[in-house]
Amino acid sequence: MAVQDNDGVRISAKADYAVRAAITLAAAEPETDVAAEAIARSQDIPYKFLEAILTDLRREGVVTSSRGPRGGYRLSRPAGQVTVADVIRAVDGPLVSVRGERPPDLAYVGAAEPLLPLWIGLRANVRSVLEGVTLADLAAGRLPGRVRRLAEDPQAWENP
C-alpha cells in the first residue's frame, strides 16, 4: 500500500526564498538595484535557485532588473503595494489548489458536497492573510494586527 503525503498546506522552498528575496529588495534604499549575489548571500539562498526565482518574479512583474556594474533587481512598484500573495503566486501559482486544481474548478456529489465550500473557505482564509501583508510591512518588521493576533495564539505554535 502506498503512503500518501497529506501533511497540510505547505509553503514551498521556492516561495519561502522568493518572499525572503522580495523583503530584501523592499528593505533596500529606494531606487537602488540589489545584486542577486548580495540577496543570495544575505538570505543564504542558493544562487542558481535564486536566479530562477528572480526570473519568475521579473516575468510576473514583481521585480525589474538592470544590467551593468550597478545592475541588479528592485521591486517594480512600491513595497506597500506588493503583497506576500503576489510574490508566492509569481513563483508557485495559485495559493490553494486541490489535486492541482483551483477549488472553483472542482465538483463533488453526494456526501462529499460540503468539501467544495470547505476548500473555498480555506482559500479565502489563506488569501486574507497573504493578501493582507505587504513587503513594506515585513521590511518594517511589523504585521497587521489581525495576522499578529493569529500568530500570538499559543495554539498556533502547536503541532497537533
Side-chain angles (χ1 to χ4, degrees):
M1 180 167 137
V3 176
Q4 287 190 316
D5 184 5
N6 289 322
D7 288 338
V9 175
R10 295 181 182 266
I11 302 298
S12 70
K14 188 175 186 180
D16 178 58
Y17 289 161
V19 173
R20 289 165 48 193
I23 295 167
T24 301
L25 296 176
E29 291 292 320
E31 305 302 315
T32 301
D33 291 336
V34 181
E37 296 87 358
I39 297 168
R41 202 172 30 255
S42 74
Q43 291 298 315
D44 196 26
I45 299 171
Y47 179 72
K48 288 292 186 187
F49 197 19
L50 179 63
E51 282 185 316
I53 290 166
L54 290 168
T55 297
D56 288 345
L57 293 173
R58 186 172 40 82
R59 183 178 49 248
E60 295 299 319
V62 176
V63 302
T64 59
S65 63
S66 62
R67 297 183 188 268
R70 294 182 182 242
Y73 295 85
R74 69 173 72 178
L75 296 175
S76 61
R77 55 191 193 270
Q81 295 176 12
V82 182
T83 68
V84 174
D86 295 331
V87 175
I88 293 173
R89 284 185 185 116
V91 297
D92 274 353
L95 297 176
V96 174
S97 65
V98 178
R99 301 182 326 265
E101 296 184 50
R102 293 172 188 238
D105 297 336
L106 301 170
Y108 295 98
V109 296
E113 280 187 64
L115 281 177
L116 185 55
L118 174 67
W119 300 149
I120 297 292
L122 173 66
R123 182 174 76 158
N125 213 15
V126 169
R127 280 169 130 173
S128 174
V129 170
L130 298 179
E131 290 176 351
V133 180
T134 68
L135 296 179
D137 294 330
L138 295 172
R142 66 177 187 266
L143 290 174
R146 179 180 169 278
V147 176
R148 191 180 67 256
R149 285 188 297 279
L150 286 169
E152 288 171 350
D153 180 351
Q155 290 182 339
W157 294 85
E158 294 177 15
N159 294 324

